[in-house]
Amino acid sequence: SRGEGDISSIPTSAVHANGCEYIHYFNIKTWVNWTTEYSGMYKSSDKGRTWTKLESVRFGGDSHFGIVSYWNHKKDGYIYMIGTQSGRGDSPYLGRFREGDIEDMSKYQYWNGSEWITGKEEVVTPLFTDRMGEMSLAWIDSIGKWVLMNMSERRAQVCLRVADSITGPWSEPKHLCYNY
C-alpha cells in the first residue's frame, strides 16, 4: 500500500553515552519515494528495558542526518555522526558533539569543509560525493584510521573507505561484497 502519515520508525544507529543507551531513528511519512517526516532519538537509562523519546533531538525530514552512524571517540571526547538523508541517495555529512551534550542539539557541531560550526546544520558540506545507505563508522586503533562501511544500492555493493582524519580525505570505495 502507498501509505501516508506516521507509518513507521526505523532505527539507524545506537551509541552508549553518559551511562545510557541512545538510538537514532527516522520516521517514515510514506514509502513512496521514501519520504521521511523527521528523525530523532530515544534514550534508555535502564540498559534497554524501557525507552523514552527525546523531544530535544529532532532533525527535519530533509536533514542530512536522517540516517546516521555514531562513534564515541573516547580519545578526543566527541561522539561523531556520519549522516545522509533517508532513502540511500545522499552523500555523507559529518557532525559531532561532546558526550555530555548528546541531548542538546544547540551544541552539535557540523563540518563545513574547513571548520566545525556550532548549532548550524545548514552549513554542513559533503565529505565526498557518493550515494550512501546503511553506514557504519569506526576508529581502528591498530591501523590508526577511520573506517566507514556502507551499502551502495546503486552499485549493489557493500563498500569500505578509510581516512587518517574524520574530516578526510577519504579513500575511494573498496568493494567488500557484490550483489548482496
Side-chain angles (χ1 to χ4, degrees), residues 64-65 82-84 90-94 111-114 121-130 132 166-168 170:
H64 294 293
F65 298 95
I82 297 267
T84 69
D90 195 19
S91 292
Y93 294 79
L94 182 61
W111 182 249
N112 74 355
S114 59
E121 181 189 349
E122 65 274 9
V123 304
V124 72
T125 59
L127 286 175
F128 51 83
T129 303
D130 198 1
M132 308 286 283
I166 188 74
T167 58
W170 286 86

Side-chain angles (χ1 to χ4, degrees), residues 65-97:
F65 298 95
I67 297 174
V68 303
S69 180
Y70 294 114
W71 184 260
N72 193 340
H73 197 49
K74 299 290 187 181
K75 287 188 173 205
D76 67 7
Y78 284 100
I79 295 176
Y80 290 93
M81 62 179 182
I82 297 267
T84 69
Q85 289 181 340
S86 301
R88 302 178 184 141
D90 195 19
S91 292
Y93 294 79
L94 182 61
R96 73 179 185 181
F97 45 85

